[in-house]
Amino acid sequence: MSPSTHGPDAPEPPSTGRPWRLPWWLCGVLGGAVVQLAQAHLWTTAVYAMAATCGVAGTLAAAALPGRMLPRWCRSRGFMFAAGLVAMAGVTGLRAILFSSGALPDALEGRDIRIVGLVAAMPQVADTGVRLRMAVESAELDGRNVAVPPLIDVAWYTGAFGEAAGVADVRRLAAQVRAGERWHMTVRLKAPHGLRNPHGFDSELSWWEQGVQATGYVRNGLRDEPPQRIDATWNYPVQRARQRVRDAILAHLAPVGMEPGTDDGDGMARARAAGVVAALVTGDQRAIDRADWDVFRATGVAHLVSISGLHITLFAWLAAAVVGALWRRGPRLCLALPAPTAALAGGVLLAWAYALFSGWGVPAQRTVCMLAAVALLRLSGRRWPWPQVWLLACAVVVLFDPWALLQAGFWLSFVAVAVLFASNSIAIGAEKTAAPGRFVSMLREQWVVTLALTPLTLLLFGQVSVVGLLANLVAIPWITLVVTPLALGGTVWSPLWTAAAWSVQPFAALLLGLAALPWASLSLPAAPVWAGVAGVAGGTLLALRGPWPLRALGLPLLVPVLLWQPQRPPPGQFELLAADVGQGQAVLVRTAHHAMLYDAGPRYGLESDAGDRVLVPLLRALGERIDLLMLSHRDTDHTGGAAAVLAQQPKAGLMGSIENEHALQQLRPAVPCVEGQRWAWDGVLFEVLHPHEAQALDVHAFLSVPAAGPRAAVRPNTQSCVLRITAAATPQGKPPSALLVGDIEQAQEAALLARGLVAPVDVLLVPHHGSKTSSSAAFLDAARPRTALVQAGYRNRFGHPAPEVVARYRDRGAVLVDSAHCGAATWASASPGQWRCERDAARRYWHHTPAPLR
């Protein structure tokens, strides 16, 4: 008997003469959120207000007025869908306009502003210092009050700007700043501006969801007025408690001197376990070592060590079981309130408390809303079929946070629940009360979810863990029933933290062994949305209980998402994709069957670089296997992500102007760039124009052996690899070409001109990110680029590109494409007059629009 049509979960009969239209209104709510989130720009307040008024009025009229007082079409399901859609689109638009009205004014960007504010969240420790979320109470610029956003994120660096500092210094600073304290400090702010790359993480959406409208850093130089603590307040008590507990866990399990990376093997393992324990208790995911995150992702258990929707749901289930068991021991309690009701209410309340203490992140908020909606429905005595319960939970979450529809966690959570309901796994699991039956039910549920979510995971992340089924069978009960209770119990008796760390270590060793398997994870190119939807449907069909001929229909639906291949340039043509890596450089060059990466972007910190954050996910999403990584020179804004790229691309060759003792030489021997090197891929010609052979030999000798005197004046910029790429000749005229020049300066430009190596090109990668030391008039007159590509960070501290350099290009008719305004830029030699800017192609209203280049 199906629970969706009979039994205790059957729907309530509708009232006489009135069809049950709530599901249609809920579908309209979801549709209205989708319509509004798809907008590139916000409409006017009047339009949204009219939509919200009409939608809400129509909903109330259809729900409250007797049927005889309404026209027939007002009583239809279609009208309810339209009312929900219009109301939700209008309300979401009004919320967006209200929030965007508090944005940081352009005139305040880059200015030194004195603020008084409260530390609104637990300070986040990084390798460069501490990140603070400040609730601004007042702001002053040049002696006058100014309006800044109410919530900002700022970095307080312990050393030189953006450079890594010692762990002891960072912890000392973190201990000085407590949540709830009021501080007076000078900050330099800018609008939230993230990296925009195809299939990349939308950090601007994340800031928008969290209510952050400005980012920046604390001014604490020798000539700056130092930050001053004013007083402690009673504000943000939960954040204060979280910080005390986190610091106590780290002090108990990993005191200073026992950090990840030390020579003490036992100490390092315990310190890394301490990060996991702190993350489970307080939600501080930064406490987990980067290497551990890589293992958790490869084995598919990252959702268990971050406070995700599944994590909160499992905690609620465990808490409900404990509350129910304790409640049944009191007969009077059972008489006052049935044990199932107490268990349900207790599970939700404890889940809410845990979510609040662990940081009240957006995924946790969504999950608590979902659990509360389902619990209230059951407590009210209503028995709805599962599709309508599922739809209600979705709509409640979206009403609370419309932008949740754009988060991967939303779809993974709700699709998993829907698949379990559709395959009848939940009902069957409930009937099997014996231990063997529960184990078989858990095994089947894990198999069903894995099978159905594999296509969706591939669509969202470009990879899926092959060992995830096995890892989760061990991880879910171990983390939920052993590690998490011990970690939470440590807040009452600290020795339990030691037990929790001990229980993490063998578990981590098992995951490390699974992650080391060569087939541990599968990476495939990112397929379009329709292929992912078809794949999820196919996986669900295969997981359903039913005849195999019916289930086999799911196999062809899996084909598009598993075999999808992105379009490549035709033979004789090439494509450039200049990734948005901030203040650095990285250009992917693709031909019909080959690919190379010119530079690998900057290093952002000890545990963060452009390779790990941008290039590896981008290459994975494109299904790209590069043949060559060319590093123009050794500066870290060009080589910072190289190690991560080489680790993900084991067959890629390495070429570049880096010394023999460079750390990258240990990963892959590098071939020096020398003028005259050339090769052809698929009819496309690649030519190295610089450095000259004698200069290349000199710089490698200089960089390999420390020297004094005149030779010490040699700069890595001067030895940048210069690469010209030329497509096959076409009947229409001169073949399109591109010139990638690294950080060469005017002297090297003159040398290239003297050797007659500079010819007109379609695309020029602007030398040295647009610095005043490069882009001489003579060089530009010879290159005559149709398009000049600038890779530089938004409001970078070097002022790149320099205004005089911008003017020089514009005077010669070149079109300037810069990563701060364009995001990732794509150019194809087959259509040399066109560029695709990621910020324009995938624009949404929450994305930042910088002021035009001067």
Side-chain angles (χ1 to χ4, degrees):
M1 181 176 353
S2 172
S4 62
T5 55
H6 301 88
D9 290 327
E12 292 181 320
S15 58
T16 304
R18 177 172 300 197
W20 200 44
R21 293 164 293 173
L22 179 61
W24 293 91
W25 185 82
L26 296 176
C27 288
V29 167
L30 297 177
V34 170
V35 169
Q36 202 279 330
L37 297 183
Q39 294 179 332
H41 304 281
L42 288 172
W43 295 338
T44 63
T45 303
V47 172
Y48 288 125
M50 183 178 297
T53 301
C54 293
V56 172
T59 299
L60 294 176
L65 294 178
R68 63 179 180 275
M69 297 180 61
L70 296 172
R72 184 178 181 84
W73 57 270
C74 285
R75 292 174 283 158
S76 66
R77 295 181 175 92
F79 177 81
M80 292 299 292
F81 175 84
L85 186 147
V86 173
M88 187 63 187
V91 170
T92 305
L94 290 175
R95 290 176 61 182
I97 287 178
L98 180 63
F99 180 73
S100 60
S101 65
L104 180 73
D106 292 343
L108 296 183
E109 286 194 294
R111 305 291 301 274
D112 289 348
I113 303 173
R114 290 289 290 177
I115 67 166
V116 174
L118 296 172
V119 181
M122 178 174 64
Q124 297 292 313
V125 177
D127 50 28
T128 56
V130 178
R131 293 205 64 86
L132 304 175
R133 179 156 295 174
M134 302 295 296
V136 179
E137 296 181 324
S138 64
E140 187 177 282
L141 174 64
D142 298 332
R144 58 185 176 87
N145 292 332
V146 293
V148 300
L151 198 64
I152 63 175
D153 274 2
V154 291
W156 186 344
Y157 299 114
T158 56
F161 183 89
E163 294 183 2
V167 174
D169 293 335
V170 173
R171 284 199 181 182
R172 192 176 302 113
L173 175 60
Q176 294 174 3
V177 184
R178 316 296 297 182
E181 291 180 341
R182 181 176 286 109
W183 281 76
H184 193 194
M185 59 180 61
T186 302
V187 297
R188 185 169 290 183
L189 301 177
K190 63 180 180 180
H193 185 97
L195 308 178
R196 297 291 297 134
N197 291 284
H199 314 290
F201 177 69
D202 191 346
S203 55
E204 292 173 30
L205 173 63
S206 178
W207 279 314
W208 176 283
E209 274 203 294
Q210 296 175 59
V212 175
Q213 292 178 288
T215 63
Y217 61 95
V218 178
R219 298 282 291 173
N220 60 339
L222 296 177
R223 291 178 293 180
D224 299 309
E225 187 175 348
Q228 298 175 349
R229 178 182 177 274
I230 299 176
D231 57 17
T233 72
W234 291 100
N235 295 291
Y236 307 105
V238 175
Q239 297 295 332
R240 294 202 308 271
R242 290 180 65 217
Q243 185 175 0
R244 285 196 298 268
V245 171
R246 181 198 63 183
D247 293 348
I249 292 173
L250 296 179
H252 184 81
L253 297 177
V256 175
M258 191 190 291
E259 294 85 17
T262 60
D263 294 333
D264 182 2
D266 292 338
M268 184 176 69
R270 185 170 174 178
R272 292 170 68 169
V276 176
V277 173
L280 288 173
V281 177
T282 67
D284 183 12
Q285 298 181 24
R286 288 179 179 266
I288 299 179
D289 189 69
R290 172 178 165 178
D292 289 330
W293 273 121
D294 293 339
V295 171
F296 296 152
R297 293 189 185 102
T299 53
V301 301
H303 61 90
L304 289 173
V305 291
S306 60
I307 309 300
S308 64
L310 180 58
H311 195 104
I312 297 293
T313 304
L314 289 172
F315 180 86
W317 170 81
L318 181 63
V322 172
V323 170
L326 294 176
W327 200 268
R328 290 184 182 91
R329 292 181 173 272
R332 293 185 179 180
L333 293 176
C334 292
L335 290 175
L337 187 68
T341 301
L344 184 61
V348 173
L349 289 175
L350 288 174
W352 168 78
Y354 179 39
L356 190 66
F357 188 78
S358 62
W360 198 236
V362 174
Q365 295 174 28
R366 292 196 299 259
T367 305
V368 170
C369 286
M370 179 190 70
L371 292 173
V374 174
L376 288 174
L377 187 67
R378 295 188 65 86
L379 291 176
S380 67
R382 289 175 170 82
R383 301 293 183 178
W384 291 1
W386 75 260
Q388 290 158 5
V389 175
W390 180 86
L391 188 60
L392 175 66
C394 284
V396 168
V397 170
V398 172
L399 281 168
F400 176 77
D401 178 16
W403 300 276
L405 283 170
L406 300 173
Q407 300 292 343
F410 175 90
W411 295 102
L412 291 172
S413 299
F414 279 103
V415 170
V417 172
V419 167
L420 288 174
F421 270 123
S423 63
N424 217 19
S425 294
I426 293 179
I428 292 173
E431 295 171 2
K432 297 183 177 181
T433 55
R438 288 182 179 177
F439 177 77
V440 172
S441 177
M442 185 182 72
L443 184 64
R444 170 174 164 72
E445 288 176 9
Q446 188 63 43
W447 162 250
V448 167
V449 169
T450 301
L451 187 61
L453 292 190
T454 293
L456 183 60
T457 304
L458 286 172
L459 176 68
L460 295 172
F461 305 111
Q463 70 175 138
V464 66
S465 174
V466 178
V467 298
L469 175 62
L470 175 60
N472 275 281
L473 282 176
V474 177
I476 289 176
W478 187 254
I479 292 293
T480 305
L481 302 177
V482 178
V483 180
T484 300
L486 288 173
L488 292 175
T491 58
V492 178
W493 189 45
S494 59
L496 291 178
W497 284 332
T498 303
W502 286 342
S503 65
V504 166
Q505 292 180 37
F507 167 71
L510 171 64
L511 295 183
L512 190 63
L514 292 175
L517 297 173
W519 42 268
S521 61
L522 173 67
S523 298
L524 292 175
V529 174
W530 66 263
V533 173
V536 172
T540 304
L541 274 176
L542 288 173
L544 289 175
R545 291 178 175 270
W548 271 108
L550 174 63
R551 298 166 70 180
L553 295 177
L555 291 174
L557 295 176
L558 295 174
V559 172
V561 73
L562 295 178
L563 301 183
W564 179 263
Q565 291 296 323
Q567 186 177 3
R568 300 192 67 89
Q573 303 297 323
F574 67 98
E575 177 186 277
L576 300 180
L577 195 163
D580 187 2
V581 293
Q583 183 61 24
Q585 197 162 276
V587 181
L588 176 65
V589 185
R590 303 199 307 159
T591 67
H593 301 99
H594 295 274
M596 68 166 288
L597 188 62
Y598 183 86
D599 281 335
R603 174 174 288 279
Y604 308 121
L606 288 178
E607 296 190 353
S608 178
D609 57 66
D612 184 65
R613 285 178 52 184
V614 177
L615 299 176
V616 168
L618 178 63
L619 294 172
R620 183 183 295 128
L622 296 175
E624 206 60 71
R625 296 291 181 265
I626 63 173
D627 301 279
L628 176 66
L629 171 60
M630 177 180 285
L631 301 175
S632 61
H633 60 295
R634 68 172 181 173
D635 285 355
T636 55
D637 57 334
H638 296 252
T639 63
V645 171
L646 291 174
Q648 193 243 358
Q649 302 281 340
K651 296 183 179 180
L654 180 61
M655 176 184 287
S657 292
I658 58 176
E659 66 270 28
N660 294 332
E661 280 69 35
H662 197 286
L664 292 172
Q665 296 273 14
Q666 307 301 317
L667 301 177
R668 201 88 35 98
V671 176
C673 291
V674 179
E675 177 192 342
Q677 294 168 327
R678 59 168 52 199
W679 66 94
W681 286 338
D682 306 314
V684 178
L685 179 62
F686 294 77
E687 301 171 276
V688 177
L689 308 183
H690 185 78
H692 194 56
E693 184 175 3
Q695 295 173 321
L697 292 175
D698 179 71
V699 75
H700 276 270
F702 162 71
L703 293 174
S704 300
V705 180
R711 301 183 74 185
V714 177
R715 298 179 57 195
N717 288 355
T718 66
Q719 302 302 315
S720 294
C721 302
V722 176
L723 180 68
R724 181 166 60 203
I725 310 168
T726 309
T730 61
Q732 289 76 18
K734 183 180 73 70
S737 60
L739 188 62
L740 312 181
V741 296
D743 281 358
I744 63 170
E745 299 177 351
Q746 293 187 13
Q748 291 72 54
E749 295 172 357
L752 289 170
L753 291 171
R755 298 200 297 273
L757 296 177
V758 183
V761 294
D762 291 274
V763 178
L764 171 65
L765 183 60
V766 172
H768 201 180
H769 318 284
S771 168
K772 292 182 288 187
T773 62
S774 308
S775 298
S776 63
F779 180 72
L780 297 187
D781 289 338
R784 297 203 302 274
R786 295 175 61 182
T787 304
L789 176 63
V790 182
Q791 286 194 291
Y794 175 66
R795 297 195 65 87
N796 62 85
R797 61 192 175 115
F798 307 103
H800 295 158
E804 54 265 46
V805 172
V806 172
R808 210 173 292 156
Y809 280 95
R810 286 178 174 163
D811 290 345
R812 287 159 178 80
V815 176
L816 274 169
V817 177
D818 70 297
S819 52
H821 290 78
C822 180
T826 305
W827 176 87
S829 61
S831 52
Q834 300 177 8
W835 279 88
R836 181 190 185 275
C837 287
E838 185 66 22
R839 280 195 174 271
D840 294 333
R843 177 167 295 280
R844 295 295 182 266
Y845 58 79
W846 55 82
H847 290 150
H848 178 229
T849 302
L853 285 175
R854 293 177 294 169

